[in-house]
Each structure stands twice: as structure tokens, then as C-alpha cells.
Amino acid sequence: MNLRLKLRDKPLSPPQILAFGFITIITLGTVLLMLPISRTVPLSWLDAFFTATSAVTVTGLIVVDTGTAFTTFGQTILMILIQIGGLGFLTFAVMSILFLGKKIRLKERILMQEALNQNSMGGIVRLIRSLFYFAISMELIATALLSIRWIPEYGISKGLFISLFHAVSSFNNAGFSLFNDSLSQYAADPLINIVITLLFVSGGIGFTVIYELMHKKKWRTWTLHTKIMLIGTFLINIFAILSFFILEMNNPHTIGAMPLNEQLWGSFFQGLTPRTAGFNSLDYGDMNNSTLMLTIFLMFIGAGSASTASGIKVTTLIIIILAVFAYLRGRNQVFAFRQRIETEVVIRSLSIIVISFFIVFVAIFMLSVTEDLPMMAVVFEAFSAFGTVGLSVGITDQLSSIGKPIIMFLMFIGRVGPLTIAFSLARSKPPHISYPKGEIFTG
Amino acid sequence: MNLRLKLRDKPLSPPQILAFGFITIITLGTVLLMLPISRTVPLSWLDAFFTATSAVTVTGLIVVDTGTAFTTFGQTILMILIQIGGLGFLTFAVMSILFLGKKIRLKERILMQEALNQNSMGGIVRLIRSLFYFAISMELIATALLSIRWIPEYGISKGLFISLFHAVSSFNNAGFSLFNDSLSQYAADPLINIVITLLFVSGGIGFTVIYELMHKKKWRTWTLHTKIMLIGTFLINIFAILSFFILEMNNPHTIGAMPLNEQLWGSFFQGLTPRTAGFNSLDYGDMNNSTLMLTIFLMFIGAGSASTASGIKVTTLIIIILAVFAYLRGRNQVFAFRQRIETEVVIRSLSIIVISFFIVFVAIFMLSVTEDLPMMAVVFEAFSAFGTVGLSVGITDQLSSIGKPIIMFLMFIGRVGPLTIAFSLARSKPPHISYPKGEIFTG
Ligand SMILES: [K+]
Ligand SMILES: [K+]
């Protein structure tokens, strides 16, 4: 009774609820994956925990082969964990309330606001209902399209299941595949390439962008956010595809020996996948160091806010670039498309980048102590986990029993959001004192 | 006549003069080092160019052994290049004017202001005269102290020369040594350890700090800059020494097999040297990956503004950390020691870090294409060059003829200052239009 009162006095903050929600689902997932009915092979608790974390955080790093180590039941568990993790347990919670006919309370609205990164409260409920319909429709349409390839190959029931699994995994940017070489055998298949990338790009660009595209037809009515996301995503993707092609065209282990048509499909897919999708149609263990460096950069950026993607986000990167250019040009305000970006947003972006980089750096440092693996592979793995991307040069199952929890921690922080975590640790009242200006030199 | 008028119409900007000055001295140095009188072995123009760049930018990365490949004449040339690079050709130019009795003109004052990173113009001339005296006194006192060790070992004239060379190289944070294993044979020698570190720390902390310490006795009269530099330097050094000791104490190739006394001296020296001194008393090729990661971080930070050191600077790092904490605590101003740090200074710090990181990242990316060396070694080398540190795991002479110019470019940018370079490329007028606030989400 006393305890309950105490809990009421100090309610959990939204980020704490978010984090505890994820932890609960991961724990539940771990137990379910350990059930004999879920798996075909012996599985350690750590590996089950790792797999559940990877699924709920929609990362896709794996320590056992998804297609062979798990039964259809186990794979279905994974698919559900991915769906919950991707759309957000929050959205699910709210949708249940909506479907049960209850009115949404203010506290839950604030919760959603944090989770979806929305600044204004109006329209949140409508937004979430809309995104739920959107997600399910996209996944079902994609399942139908993917069946065209996989039903002839695997029969109706298995073909349908494989199609559904990959549709859910793609839309939620989870990167889990039932094939042991991800999508490598379909590297030159236009249907698979197009359906999968369309899914993960529309899942990753952010629901507010999708929502706006569906409801407003004219460019000038869109928010600055939508404009920047669309143009930023387009430019980054073009840059990534071209770079990949140039860097790998002479590498005989990847696209070097392929006909041009396959080279282009390979570059297209590998150009898009690092910003949190995590499927691969070529083997990252065979790629040049330069390609791995480029991929690390793309994995750190990630895709859009309020999406199934992680990373620092495209907008954060662009705001920082705009702020630096504005500073160099002696301007005291940052703007884009004739709209002003407030200083507070710049400082927020700065904080996201600094905290993110700090977390990844500390993790890499710890891994350099605990793991006896090539540094390039370790650095790649850490950025992949933090961006919840799931690409790997192939060392995930070789990580030590300290290395795996470090990577799990990165996936968790990456998905919940480094700023969300930092906020919940550091919140305090602003002071009412004003201080005189101090003299300080930098750089 | 027309050309002269044109040059007068568009005078070079201070950063351009700074850059061209460095280029001129490097070119001159290259030619002098190629003279048969300067060297004992054949030397390619690229290697001479590399060595001159390394000396003028006070980096200390070497492609030939300084002690054996150059004659005493060549070594004297190097010492002079280091002195010019370290104190700044600017300071030299101004001092010549002062000694010639000419009055300093406004334009030259602005030039010094850029070079010394001083915000107010008053006292600049006094400051520079003072730093010149300070530098020369430090170097001469240190030469006398080092002679205690090196005259008995090498005789009077050679002993004195070795002492003077290392005094100049230390104070200017150049990291050039006449011994082929840097200071490894003196790893446990208290005299060498203390004199060398005192020199490079006092050269690296920034002349404005030294000047203030000499002229103001009370803590509360010091500028915020001096307070932050002193406390920041102290904390970072303690952290670095302790970390080094913990990370390497079980490594038999470095300090693992040494008696405690030598372990502590080794940790002390290696803890201090990465923030741009660049001497080493232990071999970095033998160190753990974790130690290399820590060292990369320290090399990127560097030491103080307006000093013989490079890197992003201690104050820049601390401002960013303070800004992030202030943001997380919901404060709209950043402060330290009851003084406010203006938003413009925060944005400036942000710009320094972003531009610096971008330059190093692009360089590493290019090196990953051109070099066939372990990535960890390449990353270490790039950060070492950018911070004009000069530490290496031993790959400098194995760099390709494209790799060497990339490293030279990093040393040059690192010394001239990434922000200085960026400013000279991007300068333009601020607009007089005000834009409405745009909606954008980050992270
Ligand atoms: K993923
Ligand atoms: K140096």
C-alpha cells in the first residue's frame, strides 16, 4: 500500500516507461525463444537474449542462423517481436486503447509524443491510427508481391510464410532473413530488390513524412521536416549507390566479376541498406575497407525520426551541416527553404551527435579490451548495433560473453534513443541566475 | 602595374597569408634538406617535402631516421623549421618589425589576432614580445638541464647540440628526436621525463594562459579560458596516465615486465605525450588496441589555443560537454565558474569539431583506398597527423606516394587550423532577411 502510494507520487517518466516496455518484451521474447518448440538446436540463454534484443530493437545482428536454428513457431515469435519493436510497443498500447473504445488520456499522449518525436500534441491519435493502417497495408501488399517469387519456389504455405516474414522484417527495418546469406541469392532479382527496398525506405523515412505526403499534395504546404527528409534521403542514397559502385567495381569478391546489370542492382541495394535496413545482397566480409568506412558513416546517420529506423537521423546531420555553413558565412541564424531552424534545435542536434558518438566510442573502447578480433570488424559491428542496422562482416557469433552484452546494450540504446536515455538521467530545473559573459578561445 | 593595382584591391585575407607563409617555409625547407650538405643518404623530393612539412607543422612524423639520415647541418635546418613553425612565422615577422623599430600597423595586428586566436586587440604586441622571451628562456634553461645527461654521454659539442635540439623540439611540441627510438632509452630517467614534459606542456597550454599566470596572481582575476585550460589539462592528464597504466600493465611488450617505478614513468610520459608532443618512451607498435583507441581520442583533443599544439583544443571539448549537459538539464545558457559561455562560442566549437572530424574521416577514407595497411594503423596515423602529434605505430615510411601527400595535407590543415581554412573558403555577407520558424525533428 505504501509502495503503491510511493509509485504514484513519483510516476515513471516517459523515457523510463519506453525503456521498461522494451525490456519487458525482450525478456518475454527470450523465454519464448528458449522453449523447445521454438528451436531446432540447443541455445544458450545469452544467445536467446541476444536474438530477442536484436529482434525487438529491429537490428538484425544474429548469433545463430534464423532459418535453420528456429522452427516456424520460433520464427513467428521473432516476426512478432520485430513488429512490436518496429511499430513501437507504444503505438500498440495506444491502438489497443483506441480499439477498446477508451479515450486517450493526456499522460499517454505525452508518452506518444516522446516516442514519435512529435512537437505538437494535436493529431497524434489520428497519426497513430493512420500509421497502423499504413504499416499493415504495406506489409500485406508486399507479402502478395513477394509470393510471386517465393510460392513457386517453396509451395503455398512455406512461400507465403517466407514472404510475410520478409515483408514484416523489411518494413520494420529489422534485417532478419530466413536465408543464411540474407538476400544474396536474389542480388540481381528486380522484384525482390524493388519490393524490399520500397518497404524499408517507406518504413524508415518516418511516419510524419508519409502522413504528410498522403494528406497534403503541394510542396509548399509541407513542413520543413518533410522537405529536408525527402531531399536529404534522395541525395544520400544517390551518393551511397554511386560510391558503392565506384569502390567495389574492381573487387572480384563482390561485384567486380558480375555483368553490369547485376553490378547496378548490387550497388543499388547495398547503397540503400546501411541506413538501418540491414539486409544484404552481397557479403560485407568481402568488401574493401573503403566501402566499410562509407558504410559505417551511413549506418551512423540512419534514416528518419519517428520511424522504424535508428541512427542519429538524416535531419540531425543536415541541421549540423547547415549550422556549420551558417557560422562560416557569419550568419547568426540557420535556415533552409526560407524557414528558420531555431538555435535550440541546433544545440539538440549537437547533443544527439555528441552523446551518440561518445556511447559508440566507449563501447568500441570496451570491445577493444574484451575482444580479440580485427579492430575494423569491431568498429563496424559497434556502429551497426548502435544504428540498429544489423550488417556485419561476420563476427557476431565470435563475440565473447562480455562482447555480446556490449553489443546488446548498443542496440538497446540505439533504438530507445541516446537522447531519451540521457534526458531521463540528467533532467533538472533550470537556474534562475544569470552569469556574466566569460572569455574563452576555442580551436 | 595593372596587376599590382589588382593585388591591392583584393588583399590576401589573414588565413591566406598564414597558409602561404607556411607553404613558403616548407618549400624552402624542402630545398635546404635536399642539399647534399644536409643529408648522409639519398633522399627523394617527396620524402624531403614530407620531412619539411612535418617539421614546420611541428608534427614529428618521419619517413627517414632524423639522427642518421641528416647531417648536423640538416638537423640544424630541421630545428630552425621547427622553431619557425612552432612559434609561428607570424610572431617572427612581427618581432622583426618590432626589433627594426617600426610601428605595428592595424592590418598586422589583425593578422596576429587570427594567429593567436586573441579576441581583443589590446596587448597583442606586448603578448608576443613576452612569449618570444618566454620561449627562448624555456629552451635555453632546458638545454642546460638536458646537458647534465647528454654532455657526459656525448661530449660537450655533440651533447650540447642534442640537448638544444630536443629542447626546441619539445617546447614546440614537434616530437622530432635524434634517437631512432625517440626517448625509449630514457623511459625511466626522471631528469629527461620531467624536463621534456614540462617543456611540451608549457608550450602546449597556450601563451595567453602563461602570460596570465605570469601577470596575475589571483585565481579570481584569471579569465575563464585560463581556469578551464588549467583544470581541463590537469584532469585529462590524470585520466590519461591512469588509463595508460591500467590498459598496459599486463602487456609484456610495453610496461608489463618492468619494475613499478619504470611502469609509472612510462605511463606518465605516454599519458602526456598524445596531446600533441609526439615523443614516445615506449613503442606504439607494441601497444594494445584499447591503448591506441585512447591515444586517438587524446590526439584529437590536443592542447591549448594559441600554442605550439594542434587538435581541436581542450576548451573546445569542454565547451561542447558543458553545452550538452546544459541542454539535457533544460538550461538555455551554458556556464562555467559563474561565467556565461555565449551561444556563438558553442556554435563555433561545434563547427571546429564537425569540420575537423569530417576532414580526418575523408582522409582516412582516401587512405583506405590507396594504402594496403591495417586500418587501425591508418586511423592512428591520420589522427596523429591532424593533431600534429607525430606518434605512429610505425607505418609512416610504408605509406604510398599518394598516402604521404594525404598525411602532409592533414598535418598542414591541422596546424593552420581547420576553421581558419574553412573560413577563408566560405566567407560571405550575412543576409538581411528574417525567415519564419520551420518545424523539424531530430534524433
Ligand atoms: K536493421
Ligand atoms: K608533435
Side-chain angles (χ1 to χ4, degrees):
Chain A
M1 185 67 190
N2 244 339
L3 187 71
R4 270 177 78 188
L5 275 176
K6 217 167 184 180
L7 281 174
R8 265 198 193 160
D9 283 356
K10 277 202 172 187
L12 291 172
S13 70
Q16 284 169 332
I17 298 179
L18 196 69
F20 285 129
F22 269 115
I23 291 169
T24 309
I25 295 164
I26 290 169
T27 311
L28 197 67
T30 307
V31 174
L32 289 171
L33 290 176
M34 280 305 277
L35 295 177
I37 190 184
S38 298
R39 57 203 164 82
T40 61
V41 290
L43 197 65
S44 71
W45 279 97
L46 179 60
D47 284 350
F49 193 18
F50 189 99
T51 306
T53 307
S54 183
V56 174
T57 61
V58 295
T59 305
L61 286 173
I62 46 169
V63 283
V64 292
D65 179 42
T66 315
T68 54
F70 295 106
T71 60
T72 307
F73 179 80
Q75 290 161 358
T76 308
I77 299 288
L78 276 177
M79 190 167 69
I80 295 170
L81 293 177
I82 289 168
Q83 187 74 289
I84 297 175
L87 280 182
F89 82 101
L90 245 186
T91 318
F92 263 74
V94 172
M95 288 313 290
S96 337
I97 295 169
L98 279 180
F99 284 144
L100 291 171
K102 283 190 195 155
K103 268 178 96 174
I104 251 185
R105 281 174 307 145
L106 185 68
K107 198 182 141 194
E108 277 139 354
R109 279 178 186 246
I110 293 169
L111 207 70
M112 285 183 285
Q113 211 176 321
E114 294 263 343
L116 281 165
N117 213 349
Q118 273 279 25
N119 286 349
S120 76
M121 265 199 275
I124 295 257
V125 171
R126 241 174 319 150
L127 175 82
I128 290 183
R129 184 160 31 194
S130 178
L131 81 84
F132 191 82
Y133 291 146
F134 174 72
I136 302 298
S137 333
M138 287 293 285
E139 288 173 0
L140 291 180
I141 295 168
T143 304
L145 289 171
L146 293 172
S147 301
I148 299 170
R149 179 68 69 251
W150 284 324
I151 285 182
E153 212 168 315
Y154 293 96
I156 293 191
S157 78
K158 194 170 179 203
L160 263 181
F161 181 74
I162 292 177
S163 302
L164 179 65
F165 186 93
H166 286 89
V168 171
S169 183
S170 300
F171 181 78
N172 292 295
N173 274 275
F176 274 87
S177 171
L178 297 177
F179 309 113
N180 68 359
D181 56 356
S182 194
L183 299 171
S184 298
Q185 48 186 313
Y186 304 99
D189 184 327
L191 177 75
I192 303 290
N193 271 294
I194 291 173
V195 173
I196 299 280
T197 52
L198 262 182
L199 274 176
F200 69 63
V201 169
S202 60
I205 204 162
F207 296 121
T208 62
V209 175
I210 300 282
Y211 192 75
E212 215 167 335
L213 288 183
M214 291 193 303
H215 291 84
K216 299 177 195 166
K217 299 295 163 202
K218 286 179 190 148
W219 162 268
R220 65 183 165 72
T221 62
W222 294 344
T223 55
L224 181 59
H225 181 83
T226 294
K227 290 177 188 166
I228 286 187
M229 273 311 298
L230 290 176
I231 291 183
T233 301
F234 180 76
L235 291 179
I236 291 173
N237 284 343
I238 294 292
F239 164 77
I241 294 166
L242 278 180
S243 303
F244 187 90
F245 181 74
I246 293 166
L247 293 171
E248 291 291 324
M249 65 183 180
N250 293 318
N251 182 349
H253 303 294
T254 57
I255 60 172
M258 292 178 177
L260 184 64
N261 141 55
E262 291 184 31
Q263 286 186 322
L264 290 177
W265 277 120
S267 303
F268 170 74
F269 198 87
Q270 258 62 233
L272 297 184
T273 197
R275 286 182 319 98
T276 87
F279 290 105
N280 54 294
S281 69
L282 296 167
D283 190 344
Y284 278 79
D286 289 334
M287 288 183 198
N288 294 323
N289 279 332
S290 49
T291 313
L292 296 182
M293 288 291 297
L294 173 77
T295 306
I296 286 172
F297 174 67
L298 295 169
M299 294 195 296
F300 189 63
I301 297 174
S305 300
S307 77
T308 58
S310 304
I312 61 165
K313 307 294 171 351
V314 171
T315 44
T316 308
L317 176 77
I318 290 179
I319 288 169
I320 289 295
I321 293 172
L322 292 175
V324 169
F325 273 100
Y327 176 73
L328 291 177
R329 294 179 165 214
R331 287 171 179 155
N332 56 12
Q333 62 177 12
V334 182
F335 54 87
F337 300 115
R338 294 173 181 278
Q339 286 192 288
R340 180 165 43 84
I341 294 164
E342 287 186 300
T343 305
E344 207 219 312
V345 177
V346 174
I347 302 287
R348 181 186 157 87
S349 302
L350 163 68
S351 302
I352 290 167
I353 291 188
V354 170
I355 294 170
S356 301
F357 207 85
F358 178 75
I359 291 169
V360 179
F361 185 87
V362 170
I364 292 173
F365 178 77
M366 289 168 67
L367 290 168
S368 76
V369 177
T370 64
E371 308 306 299
D372 191 21
L373 293 162
M375 277 308 285
M376 189 65 187
V378 169
V379 170
F380 192 89
E381 195 83 4
F383 275 97
S384 177
F386 181 79
T388 70
V389 179
L391 296 176
S392 175
V393 295
I395 60 156
T396 320
D397 57 354
Q398 297 165 45
L399 290 169
S400 71
S401 56
I402 309 171
K404 280 176 190 167
I406 295 173
I407 292 293
M408 287 158 67
F409 181 76
L410 281 176
M411 297 192 278
F412 184 79
I413 296 273
R415 189 65 188 129
V416 175
L419 201 55
T420 309
I421 301 277
F423 259 126
S424 70
L425 297 176
R427 185 79 75 185
S428 96
K429 294 257 161 68
H432 293 287
I433 318 150
S434 188
Y435 292 109
K437 188 192 133 196
E439 285 275 324
I440 191 158
F441 315 130
T442 51
Chain B
M1 183 69 188
N2 245 339
L3 188 69
R4 269 176 78 189
L5 275 175
K6 217 169 184 178
L7 280 174
R8 264 200 193 157
D9 284 355
K10 277 203 171 187
L12 290 173
S13 69
Q16 284 169 331
I17 298 179
L18 197 68
F20 284 129
F22 269 115
I23 292 170
T24 309
I25 296 165
I26 290 170
T27 310
L28 197 67
T30 307
V31 174
L32 289 171
L33 289 176
M34 279 305 278
L35 296 177
I37 190 183
S38 299
R39 56 203 166 82
T40 61
V41 290
L43 196 66
S44 71
W45 278 97
L46 179 60
D47 284 349
F49 192 19
F50 189 97
T51 306
T53 307
S54 183
V56 173
T57 61
V58 294
T59 305
L61 287 173
I62 46 170
V63 282
V64 292
D65 179 41
T66 314
T68 54
F70 295 105
T71 60
T72 307
F73 179 80
Q75 290 162 357
T76 308
I77 299 288
L78 276 177
M79 190 166 69
I80 294 170
L81 293 177
I82 290 168
Q83 186 75 290
I84 297 176
L87 279 182
F89 84 100
L90 246 186
T91 318
F92 263 73
V94 173
M95 289 311 292
S96 338
I97 296 171
L98 279 180
F99 285 144
L100 291 171
K102 283 189 194 154
K103 266 178 99 176
I104 252 183
R105 281 175 307 145
L106 185 68
K107 199 181 140 196
E108 277 139 351
R109 279 178 186 247
I110 293 169
L111 205 72
M112 285 183 285
Q113 209 177 323
E114 295 264 341
L116 282 166
N117 213 349
Q118 274 279 26
N119 285 347
S120 76
M121 264 198 276
I124 295 258
V125 172
R126 241 175 318 149
L127 175 81
I128 289 185
R129 183 162 29 194
S130 178
L131 82 83
F132 191 82
Y133 291 145
F134 174 72
I136 302 298
S137 335
M138 287 294 284
E139 288 173 0
L140 291 181
I141 295 169
T143 304
L145 289 171
L146 293 172
S147 301
I148 298 171
R149 179 69 68 252
W150 284 325
I151 285 183
E153 213 169 314
Y154 294 97
I156 292 190
S157 78
K158 195 170 178 203
L160 263 180
F161 182 74
I162 292 178
S163 301
L164 178 65
F165 186 94
H166 286 89
V168 171
S169 182
S170 300
F171 182 78
N172 292 296
N173 274 275
F176 275 87
S177 172
L178 297 178
F179 309 113
N180 67 0
D181 56 356
S182 193
L183 300 172
S184 296
Q185 48 187 314
Y186 304 99
D189 184 327
L191 177 76
I192 303 290
N193 271 293
I194 291 174
V195 173
I196 300 280
T197 52
L198 263 182
L199 272 176
F200 70 63
V201 170
S202 61
I205 204 162
F207 296 121
T208 62
V209 175
I210 300 283
Y211 193 75
E212 216 167 334
L213 289 183
M214 291 194 302
H215 290 83
K216 298 178 196 167
K217 299 296 164 204
K218 286 180 192 147
W219 162 267
R220 64 184 166 70
T221 62
W222 294 345
T223 54
L224 181 59
H225 180 83
T226 295
K227 289 177 188 167
I228 287 188
M229 272 312 298
L230 290 176
I231 291 183
T233 301
F234 180 76
L235 292 179
I236 292 173
N237 285 342
I238 294 292
F239 165 77
I241 293 166
L242 278 180
S243 304
F244 186 90
F245 181 74
I246 293 167
L247 294 172
E248 290 291 324
M249 66 183 178
N250 292 320
N251 183 348
H253 302 294
T254 57
I255 60 172
M258 292 179 177
L260 184 65
N261 142 54
E262 291 184 31
Q263 286 186 322
L264 291 176
W265 277 121
S267 303
F268 170 75
F269 198 88
Q270 259 62 231
L272 297 184
T273 198
R275 287 181 320 97
T276 87
F279 290 106
N280 55 292
S281 69
L282 297 167
D283 189 345
Y284 278 79
D286 290 333
M287 288 183 198
N288 294 323
N289 279 333
S290 49
T291 312
L292 297 182
M293 287 291 298
L294 172 78
T295 306
I296 286 172
F297 174 66
L298 295 169
M299 294 196 296
F300 189 62
I301 298 174
S305 300
S307 77
T308 57
S310 303
I312 61 166
K313 307 294 170 353
V314 171
T315 44
T316 309
L317 175 77
I318 289 178
I319 288 170
I320 289 295
I321 293 173
L322 292 175
V324 169
F325 273 101
Y327 176 74
L328 290 178
R329 294 180 165 215
R331 289 173 177 153
N332 56 12
Q333 62 177 12
V334 182
F335 54 87
F337 300 115
R338 295 172 181 278
Q339 287 192 287
R340 181 165 42 84
I341 294 164
E342 288 187 300
T343 306
E344 206 220 312
V345 177
V346 174
I347 303 288
R348 179 186 158 87
S349 302
L350 164 68
S351 302
I352 290 168
I353 290 188
V354 170
I355 294 170
S356 300
F357 208 86
F358 178 76
I359 292 169
V360 179
F361 185 86
V362 170
I364 292 172
F365 178 76
M366 290 168 67
L367 290 168
S368 76
V369 176
T370 64
E371 308 306 300
D372 190 21
L373 293 162
M375 277 308 284
M376 190 65 188
V378 169
V379 170
F380 192 89
E381 195 83 4
F383 276 97
S384 177
F386 180 79
T388 70
V389 179
L391 297 175
S392 175
V393 295
I395 60 157
T396 319
D397 57 354
Q398 297 165 44
L399 290 169
S400 71
S401 55
I402 309 171
K404 281 175 191 169
I406 294 173
I407 292 294
M408 287 159 66
F409 181 74
L410 281 177
M411 297 192 278
F412 185 78
I413 297 272
R415 189 64 189 130
V416 175
L419 201 55
T420 309
I421 301 278
F423 259 126
S424 70
L425 296 176
R427 185 81 74 184
S428 96
K429 294 257 163 68
H432 293 286
I433 318 151
S434 187
Y435 292 111
K437 188 192 133 195
E439 285 276 324
I440 191 158
F441 315 129
T442 51

